[in-house]
Amino acid sequence: MTDATPVSESREGAVAVLTLQSPPVNALGSALREGIRAAIERAEADPAVKAIVLIGGGRMFSAGADITEFGKPQSGIGLPDLLNRIEAVGKPVVAAIHGNALGGGLETALACHYRVAVPSAKVGLPEVKLGILPGAGGTQRLPRIVGPRKALEVIVGGAPIGAKQAAAMGLIDDLAPEESLRAHAVAFAERVAAEGRPLTKIRDREDRIAEGRDDPGLFDAFRTENARRMRGFEAPEACIACIEAACRLPFEQGLAFEREQFLTLVSGEQSAAQRYVFFAERQTAKIPDVPETTPARPVAKVGIIGAGTMGGGIAMNFLNAGLPVTIVETKREALDRGLGTIRTNYENTARKGRLRPEDVETRMGLLTDTLDLDALKDCDLIIEAVFEDMAIKQEIFSKLDRIAKPGAILASNTSYLDIDAIAAATGRPGDVIGLHFFSPANVMRLLEVVRGARTSQDVIATAMQVGRRIGKIAVLVGVCHGFVGNRMLAQRQREANRLILEGVKPWDVDRVIHDFGLPMGPFAMSDLAGLDIGWSRETNRSETVRDLLCEQDRRGQKTGAGFYDYDAKRNATPSPVTEEIIATVAARQGVAQKPASDQEILERCLYPMVNEDAKILEEGKAIRASDIDIVWINGYGWPVYRGGPMFWADGIGLRRVLERLRAYEALYGDAFKPSPLLERLAADGKGFKDL
Ligand code: CAA
């Protein structure tokens, strides 16, 4: 056994077992690649070795190429060459997979002659999520083993699949018991060596790709079916083209085509953005004054106050994670309606085949409904999700202070209000925190964890951990109006409203934002959310475009009209009524009419957001610029291939952003006044990335 290299070598009879030892994920960096090459060559040259097993040490087989090496000069053997080398070994090479075999990790396994895995293992080619493609033969080998249709799903979808499913596809040759992968793989290797089976190289297989030759239309059909989710991204099309090439070209030419496409993508802006996001997501867990060793409080039972859309959605997260939830309402009808919605959501998911029918009952079985707040007395975490009214929230928190057991975490789902003022209604402000979910709360991945001035460290640690447990990306933010996400959104909304009063059509604003890559523009979004949020006939002042739209019962999609007119299928068309209303308000307010180019629309909507981000950072309301990017990507659909507003602004150059902000400030005043941080960074020729 030699431990000096990242590959340890040992012998089981005539089988050489090569164990990858590059924690935490066996990323295939240059040292590991060289280690594998040397170990493979030694085993090949040793006449006593009849077969080779390649297995991962630690948590997994391999998470693929070392992403930190992209964009840097390559040292040592490249992964594609290493894999060709493995495939060419004249003795059976068996990959033994546990944990994950992802990206280059799976490609390595595909270059082996056989693959054995434990049922809990996951395999996949997630490169598309990093804006690249499987560039070590994955696009050429996978279709040769599972056929082009499945290869499209795996490579363009990017989601890992379980070993059992992979075995059913022919991707895994044998499933091993969970606890004895190594022994099972060694026995498998001995058997194939003893039987003298010819070495099966995936590159030589032609049978499965015939499907792509016989039915070349399948690629276009896939493009059409997936157009929406691929919109704006470059990598998916390159993946499809490579799989097409696998069916059309001889293997070596296909590999060359794949390489060319890979190199284009890996040096492009989208991949740089998507790789940045990969690491940014992982950064969010790191909180300077709350070390990872901070002990978290146990959370085994959750209470939720409010069974409306938010409360119900929040409850589903915990039920999905197997945690019992007690949900409280003030009226029986509201409670029944809330429970009904949760059940319907689950049943719809089951109908689509994404949930087993028995799981619907298991999850509903974890839910207790009550009209009695006292029922929350043994909950470890209580989340208040009632409407946005400080007095009501304070009343609830003062009651909770009396009811909740010592050490329970008291959280508010407020999206704007001051957590410190809410905490002040209790005698235990250290236990109070904001947990801001995004609607629909059971779907959106973002969770803003709002720390109050007195929130204790272990409460923060617990909240971040709970976030991960329910599958969210938790980002820690500070108390300010709208926290990070909505505070930025308010900037965009203000400018969008000003633009339409100047005569730009709402649909033109929406088009520009949509073309930029967001799922919808501000007006389509308002229509979806409902224009009457926070509006009431009694307090209506008939001042804004929204007031007048609501007066006419144009309250958004739900009433068939808002900024747009909607047909029965909720298809939107521009509305002359809206145009008239806007003209009326503009005339009343004496707003000068002026056209705006698409570039101006974009700048006026997005640059104030970037400026606000700088203020958020200055005020310490977010820990780092990349956290803000993660908020906007996961809470508001900012296109991941643009890396978030801060990353995007860095790409433009802060000097340029500053120059444009100043130009708009001259025209529109303080709303565009550059933040001192932005000014300083621009003056130093720096970006947010340098902070
Ligand atoms: N390269 C470099 N670092 C990686 C890495 C990779 N491929 N995968 C994970 N890491 C790092 C993470 O950044 C993290 O670092 P810190 O502790 O410093 O934050 C650490 O390893 C542990 O990772 P996670 O926190 O993500 O661990 P997890 O257990 O939650 O998840 C995982 C494990 C599912 C494997 C996840 O890490 C993951 O999805 N990794 C990336 C997989 C991937 O995209 N592979 C394709 C790479 S590109 C490629 O292979 C191209 C090619 O074709 C040649």
Side-chain angles (χ1 to χ4, degrees), residues 24-25 59 63 65-67 104 107 126-127 130 134-135 278-279 282 286:
V25 296
R59 283 161 52 199
D66 183 340
I67 304 167
E107 291 176 295
E127 285 89 341
L130 298 170
F278 176 85
F279 291 111
R282 281 154 181 82
K286 295 172 183 134

Side-chain angles (χ1 to χ4, degrees), residues 302-306 311 314 318 376 381-386 397 400 409-413 435 437 466 470:
V302 178
I304 292 173
I305 306 171
I314 294 170
F318 292 98
L376 303 182
L381 166 67
I382 302 174
I383 305 173
E384 162 277 312
V386 306
F397 273 75
L400 286 179
I409 296 177
L410 310 181
S412 172
N413 176 51
L435 289 182
F437 289 81
V466 163
I470 59 173

